[in-house]
């Protein structure tokens, strides 16, 4: 589904990602962990099509297409979804308006009929219930005045409505208390399916207690320095990231582990 | 209409520095052609200087005996009485001296180029006398604040103090200008201060207008800031019949930062006007303008501020805040907070309020046993405190606060609680 | 934005740019007393009105064009303008059947429901074509309620006492240069009178259309809501694309008596000129409401997307105790358009309240200025004003200015002013695009969100139209 090969990315001439290789198949959940500044969020943003990054080498293929030339909206319409680490506030634009516009954009792109306001409401109601959100959420301006937890839940609501093929969750767990984390994890787990791949980007192992990944990758210094099963996350939790200090050398020896 | 003879006479009494004589004449001619600004002019819609045309204005003829006792200043002091230097704490130095001497010894390149071509700035340029020059060499930091004290003692005198400040790269200083005069006489102070800050220089500038109740003060401060320099100002208007201060700051180099705070109090029949112009010329400049105004009695307070972002000054960040209290039914506050923007990658905002003391807060304090006057005083102090953030770092709180607190409008009725 | 067919784009930008080929009553260019007498005679006006026009004209000769607005334009040749242009169908048509079919077709194209059978929309329309009101719908129905809704000329003939009482009582002929010119030469306009206690059951609407070339349009609108009455009035404007600039100097006066309520909405879409600033309407308009009685309420809503230059400051004189004034505005300038607009709220009565919400959008080389005055006089005990004034900038060459004046003479008043200026956030754009919205859709969504506080004040049909207009006007604004 997603094939990243030797991806090099820099910002204003400063290299951030220095050769990422990663592949995801439908139905898989992968976690990318790493210390602050390791390039995790950059990877998420590049996959979603954020401008301002220089891609100096490498390729990304998504569902058999070259992903990199596509503008963000086409990626979204092709089923790629990024849950933002810091969801944006859009004053005056109601949540429902955003959701329906986005959903209909996707449906148009697939050649399907647009959904009307009535059907949309019905459609969105169970998603709200799943995330323990009140219907009034729909009529509030996008993320405006939302608490941190509400914003993150709103991201998952959008994900549930848009039903992506590939979902990238960028630090969705950060800033959440344990109850909110439960709710978010329940939402994400309910979206796991054989058709869908999920990429979790996180600093902490905590989220992985609730959403068990198939593979865990450790990103440090712009490279994936280790890959393994769910156990790797626990190891990181126990040892911290400090032992990755000699990551560059480790990277060579564990490179073969990275490809399944 | 204007007293041509008085202005010409004043010019004829000025000798120094000789190189400026022709320039002074040109300035005076242009001033006389334009005359005093009147209310037809947009920037003068709230101010009338018509009374000046009816005063027997004159240049102070001879040094008058020092009527005003010199109080203690916590720093290095230069004092003028009626535009003439009086007492000197220390002999002139390369850093701090008479402007006429400095220009006489060799031109200051930026002198006269920072102030705008306004009528009153021209008048000052024609008629200033010794003046003051503060020049801090690159990388130096003045240990003590410099105080410049401009006092008036002669009735109907017109005074044109002139100050030039140059901080070379990375230099740091604290400057205080203090304007005051004999409370029993009418006079007119028309000072101009030019400030050039080179890259990375930092100036903290406190300007205190404490003129007598019959005085007119039309002051101008013009600042030009180079790359990454920082200008922090606190402008206080505590006394004077008609006072007006124009502050113009140009962020000429990238990353320059200006913080412009002020407090003005217009009581009795006074009018106190603040005009602030910040021009973002270079990218990534930051300006913060924060003024607090009080009008009591039949006083009128005016706050007119403009932040201008010129084309290509991307990343500019300009914010203004103006809060004002009206304390009497005959007082007036006029506010004109403007934004003029010619670039799109910017963040600009302003907020302005005019209102009265918060009745709920007053009630709350009174319910805790504080009388109305005391409660009012507390709230006024808190209100002006928001603009006094510079005082502590500059070590000037102890000097200023008694003056400021003494100027706060008193409650007219004092309620006695059992 | 990459656009392969720029020409097509520009064509799309102003959809209302067609010219209707209708014979015009000839009238000489230029202005003198004879022209004014002739306008007055043509309309069969009573002597008081001619006198008023002449007084205005003589006063106008002593005035100079104002220069304080942040707009620039070549000098206007007031002698090069034709001050009156009427479609040649003789006298005013008695019914729609008598209206020139070409004219009806024009309004059809504009989407204006002149035909009463289309009245399901529930809007009564007065249509002003160049200088003359051509048709008013629903007149009879409104008359059964005692509501007068007709062309200004008709009001002068049928209800001269009302016209005499109220004309110039809010905007005197001497008010300003353009209002003074209007008083001298105004040709037609709309007139509304809602009697005591009557709530007008439908939206009243006027559509203004400039068609003839070299013509100025000087209409005058007078809306009076008597004690306890209420009315909602809509105004729309379009003009053909022409290379020269045309002058539109209208005056609107609103009078709300005790407990009356007037809501006045404008969607202004005069031809804005082309991308290089060639052509377009000079829209120099004076609009003012007078809350003459206690608890009177006047609300202005405007969406200004057209005109080469917009110069207008709809205001309220809050005379009656407890009266309320509101101003909600969206002004968009693109290409070389210039707007200098805002509001004046004059608080005279006790406990008067006013609200100003202004949203300016500047794109291309557009320049947008908010200019406002909030004045609280000494007697306005307990007055309240809140002003919110936001600018959205799109592109490095546009400009946004705010010039608020706040003058307060009463200590119990509370006046609050907030303003901000920023560009559309790249982060916001990316967020929406990552949800599958195209760049233009994302911009439109953000712009509509930015304007929402104003749009919600518009009647439903107009709100939809306004959103579309904004989207059309911003086409090509981001690249």
């Amino acid at each position: 589904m997603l094939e990243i090969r030797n991806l090099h990315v820099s910002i204003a001439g400063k290299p951030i990602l220095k050769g990422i290789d990663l592949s995801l198949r439908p139905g898989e959940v992968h976690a990318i962990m790493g210390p602050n500044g390791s390039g995790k969020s950059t990877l998420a943003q590049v996959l979603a099509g954020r401008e301002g990054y220089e891609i100096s080498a490498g390729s990304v293929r998504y569902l058999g297409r070259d992903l990199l030339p596509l503008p963000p909206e086409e990626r979204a319409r092709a089923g790629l979804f990024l849950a933002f680490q810091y969801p944006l506030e859009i004053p005056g634009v109601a949540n429902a308006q955003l959701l329906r516009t986005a959903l209909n954009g996707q449906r148009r792109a697939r050649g399907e009929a647009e959904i009307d306001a009535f059907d949309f409401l019905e459609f969105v109601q169970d998603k709200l219930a799943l995330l323990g959100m009140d219907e009034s959420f729909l009529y509030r301006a996008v993320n405006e005045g939302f608490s941190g937890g509400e914003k993150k839940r709103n991201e998952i609501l959008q994900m549930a409505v848009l039903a992506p093929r590939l979902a990238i969750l960028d630090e969705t767990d950060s800033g959440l208390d344990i109850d909110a984390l439960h709710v978010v994890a329940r939402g994400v787990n309910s979206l796991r399916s054989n058709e869908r791949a999920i990429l979790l980007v996180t600093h902490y192992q905590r989220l992985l207690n609730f959403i068990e990944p198939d593979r865990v990758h450790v990103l440090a210094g712009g490279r994936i320095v280790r890959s393994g099963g769910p156990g790797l996350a626990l190891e990181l939790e126990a040892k911290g990231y400090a032992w990755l200090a000699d990551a560059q050398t480790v990277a060579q020896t564990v490179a073969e582990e990275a490809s399944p | 209409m204007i007293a041509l003879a008085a202005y010409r006479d004043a010019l004829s009494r000025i000798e120094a520095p000789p190189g400026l004589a022709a320039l002074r004449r040109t300035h005076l001619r242009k001033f006389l052609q334009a005359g005093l600004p009147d209310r037809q002019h947009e920037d003068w819609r709230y101010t009338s200087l018509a009374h000046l045309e009816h005063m027997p204005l004159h240049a102070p003829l001879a040094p008058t005996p020092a009527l005003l006792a010199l109080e203690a200043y916590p720093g290095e002091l230069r004092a003028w009485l009626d535009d003439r230097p009086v007492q000197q704490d220390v002999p002139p130095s390369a850093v701090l001296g008479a402007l006429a001497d400095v220009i006489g010894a060799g031109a200051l390149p930026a002198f006269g180029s920072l102030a705008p071509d306004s009528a009153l700035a021209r008048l000052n340029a024609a008629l200033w006398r010794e003046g003051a020059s503060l020049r801090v060499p690159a990388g130096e930091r003045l240990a003590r604040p410099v105080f410049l004290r401009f006092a008036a003692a002669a009735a109907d005198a017109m005074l044109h103090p002139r100050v030039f400040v140059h901080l070379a790269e990375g230099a740091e200083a604290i400057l205080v200008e203090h304007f005051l005069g004999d409370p029993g006489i009418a006079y007119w102070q028309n000072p101009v201060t030019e400030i050039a800050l080179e890259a990375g220089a930092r100036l903290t500038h406190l300007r205190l207008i404490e003129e007598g109740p019959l005085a007119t003060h039309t002051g101008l401060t013009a600042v030009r800031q180079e790359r990454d320099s920082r200008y922090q100002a606190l402008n206080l208007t505590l006394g004077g019949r008609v006072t007006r201060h124009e502050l113009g700051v140009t962020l000429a180099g990238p990353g320059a930062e200006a913080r412009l705070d002020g407090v003005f109090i217009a009581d009795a029949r006074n009018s106190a006007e603040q005009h602030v112009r910040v021009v973002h010329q270079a990218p990534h400049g930051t300006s913060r303008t924060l003024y607090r105004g009080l009008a009591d009695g039949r006083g009128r307070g005016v706050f007119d501020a403009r932040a201008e972002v010129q084309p290509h000054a991307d990343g500019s960040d300009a914010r203004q805040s103006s809060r004002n209290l009206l304390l009497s039914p005959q007082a007036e506050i006029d506010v004109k907070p403007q934004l003029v923007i010619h670039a799109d990658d910017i963040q600009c905002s302003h907020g302005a309020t005019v209102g009265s003391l918060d009745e709920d807060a007053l009630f709350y304090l009174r319910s805790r046993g504080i009388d109305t006057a005391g409660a009012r005083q507390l709230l006024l102090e808190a209100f002006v405190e928001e603009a006094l953030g510079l005082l502590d770092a500059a070590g000037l709180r102890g000097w200023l606060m008694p003056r400021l607190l003494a100027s706060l409008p008193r409650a007219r009725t004092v309620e006695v609680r059992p | 934005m990459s656009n392969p067919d720029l020409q097509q784009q520009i064509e799309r930008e102003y959809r209302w740019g067609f010219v209707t080929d209708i014979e015009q009553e000839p009238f000489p260019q230029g202005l003198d007393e004879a022209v004014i007498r002739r306008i007055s005679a043509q309309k069969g006006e009573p002597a008081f009105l001619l006198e008023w026009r002449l007084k205005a004209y003589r006063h106008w000769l002593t005035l100079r064009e104002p220069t304080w607005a942040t707009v620039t334009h070549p000098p206007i040749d007031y002698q090069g303008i034709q001050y009156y242009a009427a479609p040649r169908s003789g006298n005013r048509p008695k019914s729609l059947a008598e209206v020139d079919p070409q004219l009806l077709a024009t309004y059809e194209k504009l989407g204006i429901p002149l035909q009463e059978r289309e009245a399901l929309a529930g809007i009564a329309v007065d249509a002003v074509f160049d200088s003359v009101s051509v048709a008013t719908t629903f007149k009879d129905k409104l008359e059964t309620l005692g509501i007068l809704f007709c062309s200004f000329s008709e009001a002068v003939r049928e209800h001269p006492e009302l016209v005499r009482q109220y004309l110039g009582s809010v905007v005197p002929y001497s008010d300003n240069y353009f209002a003074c010119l209007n008083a001298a030469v105004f040709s037609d306009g709309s007139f509304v009178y809602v009697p005591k206690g009557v709530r007008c059951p439908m939206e009243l609407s006027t559509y203004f259309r400039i068609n003839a070339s070299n013509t100025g349009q000087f209409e005058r609108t007078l809306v009076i809501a008597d004690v306890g009455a209420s009315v909602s009035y809509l105004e729309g404007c379009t003009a053909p694309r022409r290379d020269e600039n045309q002058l539109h100097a209208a005056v609107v006066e609103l009078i709300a008596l005790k407990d009356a309520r007037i809501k006045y909405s404008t969607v202004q879409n005069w031809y804005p000129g082309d991308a290089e600033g060639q052509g377009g309407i000079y829209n120099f308009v004076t609009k003012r409401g007078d809350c003459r009685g206690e608890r009177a309420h006047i609300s202005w809503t405007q969406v200004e997307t057209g005109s080469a230059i917009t110069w207008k400051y709809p205001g309220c004189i809050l005379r009656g105790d407890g009266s309320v004034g509101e101003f909600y505005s969206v002004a968009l300038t693109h290409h070389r358009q210039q707007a200098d607009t805002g509001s004046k709220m004059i608080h005279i009565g006790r406990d008067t309240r006013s609200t100003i919400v202004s949203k300016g959008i500047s794109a291309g080389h557009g320049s947008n200025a908010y200019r406002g005055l909030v004045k609280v006089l000494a007697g306005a005990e307990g007055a309240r004003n809140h002003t919110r004034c936001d600018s959205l900038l799109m592109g490095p060459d546009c400009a946004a200015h705010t010039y608020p004046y706040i003058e307060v003479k009463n200590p119990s008043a509370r006046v609050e002013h907030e303003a901000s200026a920023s560009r559309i956030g790249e982060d916001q754009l990316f967020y929406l695009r990552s949800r599958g919205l195209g760049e233009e859709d994302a911009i439109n969504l953000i712009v509509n969100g930015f304007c929402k506080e104003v749009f919600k004040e518009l009647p439903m049909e107009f709100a939809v139209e306004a959103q579309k207009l904004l989207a059309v006007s911003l086409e090509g604004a981001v690249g």
Side-chain angles (χ1 to χ4, degrees):
Chain A
M1 173 172 279
L2 182 71
E3 289 287 340
I4 306 177
R5 289 278 169 261
N6 190 34
L7 184 66
H8 284 72
V9 174
S10 50
I11 303 173
K14 185 174 175 267
I16 306 291
L17 300 180
K18 303 166 186 169
I20 301 285
D21 290 284
L22 184 69
S23 56
L24 256 82
R25 286 179 299 206
E28 287 184 345
V29 175
H30 287 210
I32 293 193
M33 302 184 67
N36 290 328
S38 58
K40 301 189 301 287
S41 281
T42 299
L43 178 61
Q45 302 255 315
V46 165
L47 291 176
R50 177 87 210 218
E51 283 150 17
Y53 294 98
E54 301 139 27
I55 295 163
S56 41
S59 68
V60 180
R61 297 192 71 77
Y62 168 69
L63 295 173
R65 306 164 68 180
D66 183 1
L67 184 69
L68 295 176
L70 299 180
E73 57 269 33
E74 280 185 41
R75 300 184 195 202
R77 288 171 196 163
L80 190 150
F81 180 89
L82 170 66
F84 281 50
Q85 182 180 3
Y86 304 109
L88 274 290
E89 299 187 3
I90 319 271
V93 176
N95 238 340
Q97 202 180 351
L98 167 62
L99 285 171
R100 199 153 75 85
T101 314
L103 182 63
N104 280 330
Q106 207 179 54
R107 293 173 72 103
R108 267 202 311 276
R110 290 199 299 254
E112 295 168 16
E114 294 193 10
I115 188 165
D116 69 26
F118 191 74
D119 290 340
F120 171 75
L121 194 60
E122 207 166 300
F123 169 77
V124 84
Q125 255 153 358
D126 3 309
K127 319 279 179 199
L128 283 167
L130 177 73
L131 291 158
M133 293 166 86
D134 191 84
E135 199 178 306
S136 67
F137 259 85
L138 292 177
Y139 309 109
R140 288 167 65 184
V142 178
N143 293 325
E144 200 181 33
F146 283 27
S147 70
E150 285 176 331
K151 284 183 183 173
K152 294 296 173 77
R153 267 192 282 172
N154 201 23
E155 292 294 286
I156 304 304
L157 173 69
Q158 292 179 20
M159 173 173 153
V161 167
L162 297 175
R165 301 287 305 278
L166 169 63
I168 303 162
L169 278 61
D170 189 4
E171 307 253 356
T172 297
D173 51 329
S174 65
L176 291 186
D177 63 31
I178 194 73
D179 293 334
L181 191 63
H182 268 289
V183 173
V184 165
R186 192 166 67 223
V188 174
N189 282 326
S190 76
L191 290 165
R192 283 182 89 148
S193 83
N194 290 335
E195 310 287 284
R196 180 172 290 138
I198 298 177
L199 189 58
L200 303 168
V201 175
T202 180
H203 184 88
Y204 303 104
Q205 185 269 340
R206 193 175 66 148
L207 177 69
L208 308 183
N209 291 337
F210 302 100
I211 309 171
E212 194 185 322
D214 301 305
R215 302 278 301 165
V216 174
H217 311 275
V218 180
L219 189 63
R223 291 190 176 87
I224 290 178
V225 294
R226 275 196 70 181
S227 295
L232 179 55
L234 294 168
E235 196 179 331
L236 277 174
E237 182 78 355
K239 298 186 184 168
Y241 289 107
W243 59 276
L244 289 168
D246 58 341
Q248 318 300 44
T249 49
V250 178
Q252 316 307 322
T253 60
V254 297
E256 61 276 13
E257 269 191 77
S259 39
Chain B
M1 192 65 99
I2 57 176
L4 298 175
Y7 296 117
R8 293 208 172 108
D9 176 63
L11 182 60
S12 72
R13 290 167 192 281
I14 296 169
E15 307 88 39
L20 287 184
L23 192 59
R24 285 179 186 272
R25 280 196 301 275
T26 307
H27 282 309
L28 189 65
R29 197 183 64 242
K30 288 191 174 163
F31 165 75
L32 292 175
Q33 276 164 4
L36 289 168
D38 63 24
R39 298 176 72 163
Q40 302 296 310
H41 192 294
E42 173 63 26
D43 286 342
W44 289 82
R45 63 186 265 136
Y46 299 114
T47 317
S48 170
L49 294 180
H51 64 285
L52 292 179
E53 298 181 1
H54 305 293
M55 274 169 72
L57 288 171
H58 60 83
L61 302 180
T64 16
L67 295 175
L68 298 167
L70 280 184
E71 60 273 55
Y73 285 86
E76 194 165 334
L77 173 69
R78 290 288 185 282
W80 286 259
L81 188 65
D82 289 337
D83 263 359
R84 287 185 165 77
V86 281
Q87 191 176 333
Q88 309 272 316
D89 275 350
V90 283
S93 68
V95 169
L96 184 55
L99 183 57
D101 295 346
V102 173
I103 292 177
L108 278 176
F111 172 77
S113 69
L114 303 182
D117 280 341
S118 66
L120 294 180
R122 281 188 186 286
L123 184 63
N124 176 289
L127 300 182
W128 65 275
R129 299 179 68 90
E130 281 75 6
S133 155
L134 173 66
R135 291 177 300 163
V136 185
E140 273 191 33
R141 178 169 174 270
L142 295 190
R144 304 174 71 206
V146 170
F147 286 82
L148 306 177
R149 180 188 198 269
F150 299 96
D156 299 317
M158 56 172 171
L159 309 173
H160 303 281
R162 183 93 186 189
V163 178
F164 188 87
V165 178
H166 180 261
L167 264 55
E169 227 172 282
E172 286 184 41
I174 297 172
L175 171 69
V176 180
E177 291 178 290
H178 188 192
F179 299 91
L180 67 169
D182 185 333
I185 58 167
Y187 59 89
W188 175 25
Q189 293 228 60
N190 181 44
V192 169
T193 300
E194 290 179 298
I195 298 173
L197 302 182
E198 301 296 343
R202 289 167 165 243
L203 180 69
T204 298
H205 182 195
L206 192 155
R207 190 179 191 280
L208 174 60
I209 301 177
E210 215 176 13
E211 305 281 18
L214 304 173
T216 302
H217 177 108
T218 51
L220 173 86
T221 305
V223 185
R224 183 181 168 87
Q225 292 186 247
E226 298 303 334
R227 174 184 286 271
D228 299 324
S229 62
R230 184 156 167 200
Y231 176 67
Q232 306 191 104
L234 173 57
N235 290 284
L236 296 133
T237 301
L238 306 184
R241 177 70 176 79
V242 174
T243 54
R244 181 184 161 99
H245 179 230
E246 288 182 31
L247 169 60
V249 178
T250 303
L251 305 179
E257 198 182 322
R259 170 173 169 182
L260 313 172
D261 295 344
V263 173
F264 56 96
I265 298 172
D267 52 12
R269 300 178 64 90
N270 297 346
S271 113
E273 285 201 33
Q274 321 299 316
H275 298 260
V276 182
R277 299 279 179 273
V278 183
V279 180
H280 287 251
Q281 254 177 14
H284 301 291
T286 307
S287 66
R288 295 281 178 276
T289 305
L290 192 157
Y291 273 65
R292 298 292 176 257
L294 298 174
D296 196 11
R298 294 175 157 277
R300 178 186 221 181
V302 176
F303 176 72
D304 167 20
R306 175 185 297 174
E308 181 180 335
V309 180
Q310 297 194 341
H312 314 301
D314 289 335
S316 289
D317 183 340
R319 287 162 210 266
Q320 298 174 356
S321 156
S322 159
R323 289 180 57 204
N324 304 278
L325 293 181
L326 272 176
L327 300 171
S328 109
Q330 286 86 37
E332 175 170 353
I333 291 275
D334 301 318
V335 186
K336 215 176 122 188
Q338 309 157 73
L339 298 173
V340 174
I341 299 167
H342 291 277
D344 75 331
D345 181 12
I346 50 103
Q347 280 292 327
C348 298
S349 67
H350 63 227
T353 61
V354 181
S356 52
L357 278 180
D358 182 352
E359 293 295 329
D360 294 338
L362 265 179
F363 174 73
Y364 180 80
L365 291 175
R366 291 174 63 196
S367 77
R368 296 294 174 267
I370 301 169
D371 66 31
T372 308
R376 204 175 119 109
Q377 182 77 11
L378 274 180
L379 292 177
L380 289 181
E381 284 177 35
F383 179 76
V384 298
E385 181 59 39
E386 294 171 30
L388 302 178
L390 290 184
L391 286 181
D392 291 314
L396 294 169
R397 182 175 286 274
W399 176 73
L400 182 76
M401 282 317 273
R403 293 168 177 276
L404 177 57
L405 295 181
S407 303
L408 284 182
R410 308 276 121 205
R412 277 170 302 280
T413 54
V414 178
E415 200 176 80
V416 183
R417 294 180 71 84
Chain C
M1 190 189 66
S2 62
N3 195 314
D5 193 345
L6 191 64
Q7 191 50 42
Q8 188 192 348
Q9 183 78 30
I10 290 167
E11 290 301 326
R12 281 224 312 275
E13 276 166 11
Y14 197 73
R15 292 174 184 165
W16 302 268
F18 53 85
V19 178
T20 306
D21 196 9
I22 284 183
E23 265 194 278
Q24 300 284 337
E25 201 79 58
F27 214 79
Q29 285 188 354
L31 185 57
D32 55 23
E33 290 203 3
V35 166
I36 290 167
R37 286 176 195 280
R38 198 169 148 192
I39 293 173
S40 188
Q42 189 116 6
K43 308 182 84 66
E45 286 177 354
F48 84 85
L49 199 49
L50 175 62
E51 266 322 297
W52 194 71
R53 285 178 182 275
L54 290 173
K55 261 196 289 188
Y57 174 66
R58 288 166 199 150
H59 185 71
W60 182 71
L61 291 175
T62 69
L63 298 177
R64 277 189 300 176
E65 214 181 272
T67 53
W68 40 261
T70 47
V71 299
T72 52
H73 56 81
I76 298 171
D77 176 10
Y78 291 93
Q79 294 304 332
I81 295 171
Q82 191 182 338
Y83 283 87
Y84 191 76
R88 180 189 280 199
S89 54
N91 289 324
R92 190 189 152 79
K94 300 279 182 296
S95 73
L96 279 177
E98 287 179 30
V99 173
D100 189 327
Q102 275 247 271
L103 212 53
L104 283 182
T106 300
Y107 283 95
E108 209 66 48
K109 274 192 225 173
L110 296 170
I112 301 160
L114 265 192
Q115 305 289 344
E116 296 207 26
R117 62 185 157 74
E118 290 180 15
L120 293 171
I123 300 173
V125 177
D126 182 30
V128 175
F129 194 82
D130 287 336
S131 300
V132 173
S133 167
V134 290
T136 309
T137 62
F138 280 112
K139 237 179 111 193
D140 301 342
K141 205 167 192 171
L142 291 168
E143 263 170 19
T144 60
L145 291 165
I147 297 171
L148 308 176
F149 178 42
C150 61
S151 73
F152 203 94
S153 312
E154 189 178 337
V156 169
R157 284 195 304 271
E158 309 288 327
H159 312 283
E161 71 298 338
L162 283 174
V163 172
R164 193 169 190 169
Q165 185 182 350
Y166 290 106
L167 175 71
S169 71
V170 188
V171 181
Y173 68 77
S174 55
D175 192 80
N176 69 70
Y177 189 83
F178 298 111
C180 191
L181 177 63
N182 174 288
V185 304
F186 74 91
S187 37
D188 210 332
S190 292
F191 177 87
V192 176
Y193 172 80
V194 186
K196 270 183 198 166
V198 173
R199 301 179 159 274
C200 184
M202 59 180 72
E203 308 276 355
L204 303 184
S205 174
T206 298
Y207 253 89
F208 295 102
R209 170 90 182 157
I210 296 178
N211 191 60
S213 60
N214 287 321
T215 322
Q217 178 150 323
F218 306 93
E219 79 271 358
R220 194 152 186 121
T221 298
L222 184 54
V223 179
I224 304 144
D226 211 325
V227 175
S230 77
V231 61
S232 170
Y233 186 93
L234 318 175
E235 177 192 75
C237 338
T238 59
R241 301 178 41 164
R242 292 190 187 281
D243 288 343
E244 80 271 23
N245 297 108
Q246 286 177 282
L247 177 63
H248 173 251
V251 172
V252 176
E253 296 180 276
L254 311 183
I255 295 123
L257 301 183
K258 187 177 164 194
D259 292 315
R261 193 181 172 103
I262 301 176
K263 183 174 173 62
Y264 195 103
S265 312
T266 303
V267 174
Q268 185 267 103
N269 186 29
W270 296 118
Y271 178 53
D274 67 14
E276 274 67 53
Q278 181 80 336
I281 303 291
Y282 292 162
N283 189 38
F284 299 153
V285 170
T286 305
K287 293 184 168 181
R288 197 170 304 148
D290 190 350
C291 288
R292 224 164 261 189
E294 291 158 42
R295 294 173 301 278
H297 186 138
I298 289 180
S299 177
W300 297 99
T301 306
Q302 62 176 28
V303 177
E304 306 280 328
T305 59
S307 295
I309 301 178
T310 295
W311 180 103
K312 63 184 278 201
Y313 315 93
C316 297
I317 301 168
L318 302 168
R319 212 183 291 276
D321 291 347
S323 58
V324 177
E326 294 168 327
F327 173 74
Y328 299 95
S329 170
V330 168
L332 180 151
T333 53
H334 190 194
H335 300 308
R336 304 275 169 178
Q337 282 177 275
Q338 309 172 62
D340 194 299
T341 183
S343 184
K344 288 184 190 177
M345 295 290 176
I346 314 295
H347 291 257
I348 301 173
R350 298 170 68 92
D351 298 315
T352 46
R353 281 184 289 130
S354 64
T355 303
I356 295 174
V357 177
S358 163
K359 304 282 178 175
I361 302 157
S362 314
H365 287 83
S367 163
N368 212 322
Y370 167 82
R371 190 181 302 276
L373 170 67
V374 174
K375 190 167 188 147
V376 178
L377 301 190
E381 204 67 25
R384 296 279 179 272
N385 163 269
H386 188 267
T387 299
R388 161 121 225 122
C389 172
D390 296 316
S391 305
L392 196 61
L393 295 128
M394 301 171 73
D397 301 316
C398 63
H401 311 305
T402 56
Y403 304 107
Y405 292 73
I406 302 163
E407 302 179 358
V408 186
K409 295 190 186 186
N410 186 299
S412 65
R414 196 162 69 226
V415 177
E416 295 168 341
H417 174 98
E418 295 171 83
S420 74
S422 55
R423 68 170 168 183
I424 287 188
E426 273 170 31
D427 293 340
Q428 284 181 338
L429 270 182
F430 173 63
Y431 186 64
L432 292 176
R433 292 177 70 192
S434 78
R435 297 297 176 258
L437 276 68
E439 190 173 18
E440 296 226 332
D441 288 343
I443 288 169
N444 286 333
L445 204 60
I446 292 171
V447 169
N448 279 320
F450 176 75
C451 299
K452 188 169 187 171
E453 267 176 282
V454 175
F455 286 165
K456 73 179 170 46
E457 298 297 323
L458 285 171
M460 184 78 96
E461 314 78 18
F462 263 39
V464 174
E465 189 184 333
Q467 289 199 17
K468 285 187 190 148
L469 255 182
L470 230 52
V472 170
S473 304
L474 276 176
E475 272 173 13
V478 170

